[in-house]
């Protein structure tokens, strides 16, 4: 059965795309901890636990996430891009990439930001443009 994230990667559910490749997809988190908070997923491997991925998909996912993180750093003012893997909510492996000004930006319990569609669109486009340059 398709997960919400595989449906997003397939374009069946809308998302703010920031990067894509044949195997992987990156899009803005709908409830961001910081502007530019991005999720990186394998398109077709829906296992909900990252350490269950086959080695090739696992390594490819991190290599893709690295490029996306470089693009985020270039597009969104931040000191660095933090990375986390939780998977407590959505049963489809995903990596969180979060632009950080301080440690507090990576607190999954804090109240999430509410950005307008226009703000999300502008952020996603900036990251996408930076990703395309890499
Ligand atoms: P977790 O599974 O604990 O890593 O959390 C799942 C993350 O996915 C949360 O940060 C949610 O805000 C995010 N999320 C859930 N549904 C969507 C969606 N349709 N589009 C973008 N992000 C989502």
């Amino acid at each position: 059965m398709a997960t919400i994230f595989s449906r997003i990667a397939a374009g069946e559910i809308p998302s703010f795309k920031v990067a894509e490749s044949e195997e992987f997809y990156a899009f803005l988190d709908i409830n961001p901890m910081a502007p530019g908070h991005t999720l990186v997923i394998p398109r077709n491997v829906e296992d909900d636990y990252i350490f269950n991925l086959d080695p090739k998909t696992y390594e490819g996912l991190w290599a893709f996430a690295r490029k996306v993180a470089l693009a985020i750093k270039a597009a969104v003012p931040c000191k660095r891009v933090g990375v986390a893997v939780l998977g407590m909510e959505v049963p489809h492996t995903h990596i969180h990439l979060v632009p950080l000004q301080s440690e507090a930006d990576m607190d999954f319990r804090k109240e999430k930001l509410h950005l307008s569609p226009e703000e999300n669109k502008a952020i996603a486009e900036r990251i996408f443009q930076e990703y395309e340059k890499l």
Side-chain angles (χ1 to χ4, degrees), residues 17-134:
K17 176 176 82 176
V18 308
E20 68 179 329
S21 70
E22 206 175 304
E23 279 183 87
F24 307 106
Y25 188 79
F27 57 107
L28 294 182
D29 193 295
I30 204 166
N31 294 125
M33 290 188 284
H37 178 172
T38 293
L39 302 176
V40 179
I41 64 170
R43 284 180 188 276
N44 298 318
V45 182
E46 296 172 355
D47 198 300
D48 75 330
Y49 188 49
I50 194 165
F51 298 117
N52 282 343
L53 297 180
D54 64 89
K56 184 173 167 286
T57 306
Y58 178 85
E59 283 158 26
L61 180 66
W62 283 107
F64 178 72
R66 175 181 173 275
K67 272 183 77 176
V68 176
L70 292 174
I72 293 172
K73 179 75 172 61
V76 180
C78 63
K79 290 191 175 151
R80 53 179 54 219
V81 175
V83 58
V85 179
L86 283 79
M88 305 303 282
E89 197 186 305
V90 177
H92 182 133
T93 286
H94 52 281
I95 295 171
H96 293 259
L97 297 175
V98 185
L100 302 177
Q101 294 298 346
S102 78
E103 229 176 87
D105 292 325
M106 198 78 165
D107 179 354
F108 281 84
R109 291 166 301 187
K110 77 171 184 183
E111 194 175 336
K112 302 297 190 291
L113 301 179
H114 300 287
L115 303 178
S116 69
E118 292 73 24
E119 286 172 304
N120 278 323
K121 186 166 179 283
I123 294 167
E125 279 175 4
R126 285 209 311 274
I127 300 171
F128 183 81
Q129 282 163 9
E130 293 297 336
Y131 180 82
E132 292 291 295
K133 288 185 205 165
L134 294 170

